[in-house]
Structure formats: structure tokens, C-alpha cells
Amino acid sequence: MAFLDADLVDALGLPGDEPVRHAATSGYGTPRGEARTALVVTDRAAYVAECPPDGDWAIRRHDRAALTGLEVDARGIGEATVALVAGERVLDTLKVARLDRSDFADAAPILAAAPERTPADASSEPLPILVPIDDDVAQAEA
């Protein structure tokens, strides 16, 4: 997992009950200087962040329940594109340095898995019905 810059952490403003499951950062050169990008995945959301040279972070939030995965395309010399997908649709893209693409690709299995349930979600589920088991039947099946 990548180290997150303090200015990115401040810009994200993540609540304390939303732990980071994966983070990847990258930087690539532009004619004006180095641009920075990041992908931060929590239990509830995926955050795509971009920061131009000498600029502030622009952050886009995507609900984890809508995401089905992530694709990485290493097209250009020294650059790659990361895409957040929902089924067959691309929801968002992010430009990263080609050498950093595997750091971003490591988020794919996390995004493909169902988001983890919060305690509030679990409490709204009905409790399973318990059926008593006859000891004689249980012993006969064993």
C-alpha cells in the first residue's frame, strides 16, 4: 500500500470509521511539472484523485457497491490508464506512470469483491431461524 501525502489525506477527509483497504499513488511528468494521481479504496468507496503541478487535489468518489473491478491499460511510453468499471461500463479513468501500474492493479480483487458490510448493515438483517436438532437423528447421520 502506498504512503499517502498529508495534503491528500486532508483532501479526502475520510471518517475514522472508514479504514483504507488499498492505496496507490503515482506521478508523471507534464510540460508544467509533475502531476500526481492516486486511487484510495475503503470499505464503502473508491476515491480517484488527481493533482496538477502546483495545484490542489481534485477527488471523485465512487460507491463500492456500483464497482465491479478495475482495468489497467499500458498504452503510452511511460504512461498507463487505470479504469474503474461497473460491469461493461467504464465509470472513471486515471492516468498513471507505467512503472506504477501494478500498484494500482493490486486494487482489482478488492474492487471486484463485494464491499464489506458495516455493523449498521448487519444489524438490519433478520436473524437466522434456529431449528432444534434431535440428538438421535444427529448421531445416526454421523
Side-chain angles (χ1 to χ4, degrees):
M1 185 178 324
F3 172 77
L4 297 178
D5 295 334
D7 58 337
L8 175 57
V9 173
D10 290 342
L12 287 169
L14 295 175
D17 67 338
E18 193 169 357
V20 173
R21 296 294 176 204
H22 183 80
T25 60
S26 185
Y28 59 91
T30 71
R32 296 185 359 221
E34 185 176 74
R36 298 179 293 163
T37 57
L39 174 66
V40 178
V41 180
T42 68
D43 287 341
R44 293 177 272 215
Y47 298 89
V48 174
E50 296 177 303
C51 185
D54 301 323
D56 295 326
W57 286 100
I59 298 170
R60 298 180 299 276
R61 182 186 188 279
H62 299 279
D63 187 359
R64 282 272 314 276
L67 299 172
T68 57
L70 175 141
E71 296 177 4
V72 179
D73 183 9
R75 284 193 213 180
I77 296 173
E79 296 175 2
T81 301
V82 174
L84 293 176
V85 296
E88 298 291 320
R89 219 169 38 131
V90 173
L91 294 180
D92 204 344
T93 60
L94 183 64
K95 185 173 161 181
V96 301
R98 189 178 183 115
L99 294 176
D100 296 331
R101 70 188 185 277
S102 63
D103 295 339
F104 286 81
D106 289 344
I110 297 168
L111 291 173
E116 293 190 24
R117 302 178 70 87
T118 62
D121 293 336
S123 65
S124 64
E125 282 186 5
L127 293 174
I129 297 172
L130 300 177
V131 178
I133 298 175
D134 187 337
D135 287 338
D136 294 334
V137 172
Q139 289 176 2
E141 291 177 358

